[in-house]
Amino acid sequence: IIDLLEATLHPVHNNRHAPMEGLSVIPPVAQPQICAKYGDLELFLCGLELSSLVPVFQQHQIDLSALLRMRDSDLEKVGIPQLGVRKKILEAVGQLHKKEWDVSNLDEQFITVIGVNEATVILGNVAKHTGYLSATLDYVTRQIAANPQMIDPSPLVEATQDLVSKLEQACH
């Protein structure tokens, strides 16, 4: 069986056995190698069901860190004319900025002796996360600049004092 398969797959290189009568030899077809790199940006866009926009961001050399800093006008400039799509992206960016860090992978098993390769990977991840943190700080700074009243603590203080007063009344 192996000889027959080899003769069928490689008729020129293996002439020990000719294909059986009635069996046609189909030469192997060269299939293009499709290899896609899915980074954070691509995964982010796919999660929003906007994978068709990956080439737009790649054309402008925009990675996730850069996307996290973009505004509506920036998205429009790079070629995303649909308001709904831009809003979807910006809302997801806002949610990403608010997402809590998952430190579950930093358990005791992770803390082991590492080599140069592992150290390089870890430092690369630190650099990537530093970029994301920087983008988040930029996002918060822009939000505060656009809405300075958001950092005024007086409404919160008044609401807290009112709550304490009501609790004291309820306890007496």
Side-chain angles (χ1 to χ4, degrees):
I1 294 176
I2 293 173
D3 289 339
L4 179 60
L5 288 172
E6 286 179 4
T8 304
L9 293 173
H10 308 289
V12 175
H13 300 295
N14 185 352
N15 58 8
R16 289 191 310 164
H17 298 284
M20 294 173 59
E21 268 186 47
L23 235 152
S24 63
V25 176
I26 302 171
V29 178
Q31 295 184 359
Q33 293 293 325
I34 299 173
C35 183
K37 179 183 174 193
Y38 285 94
D40 293 334
L41 175 69
E42 291 80 8
L43 293 174
F44 178 77
L45 292 172
C46 286
L48 295 175
E49 297 180 351
L50 296 173
S51 58
S52 61
L53 295 177
V54 169
V56 173
F57 289 97
Q58 288 174 338
Q59 177 186 1
H60 293 278
Q61 299 178 352
I62 297 170
D63 60 5
L64 184 59
S65 184
L67 175 62
L68 293 175
R69 290 181 166 86
M70 293 181 79
R71 300 175 185 187
D72 184 59
S73 59
D74 298 325
L75 292 171
E76 197 168 15
K77 285 177 190 173
V78 298
I80 303 173
Q82 305 89 348
L83 177 63
V85 172
R86 294 193 316 267
K87 281 185 169 249
K88 186 176 187 177
I89 292 170
L90 292 173
E91 286 174 8
V93 164
Q95 291 301 313
L96 194 58
H97 284 301
K98 296 173 193 172
K99 186 177 178 189
E100 232 179 278
W101 282 81
D102 181 18
V103 294
S104 62
N105 60 348
L106 296 177
D107 60 10
E108 289 180 20
Q109 295 174 355
F110 182 74
I111 303 170
T112 60
V113 177
I114 61 172
V116 173
N117 292 339
E118 293 88 358
T120 303
V121 170
I122 291 170
L123 291 175
N125 284 333
V126 168
K128 182 169 62 171
H129 290 298
T130 302
Y132 298 158
L133 287 170
S134 175
T136 299
L137 290 172
D138 183 53
Y139 176 80
V140 170
T141 302
R142 283 187 285 137
Q143 293 297 316
I144 291 171
N147 306 300
Q149 69 278 7
M150 73 186 284
I151 58 172
D152 179 13
S154 56
L156 182 59
V157 171
E158 291 171 11
T160 304
Q161 288 171 341
D162 186 44
L163 179 61
V164 168
S165 174
K166 287 179 182 179
L167 286 172
E168 286 175 346
Q169 289 174 2
C171 291
H172 291 290

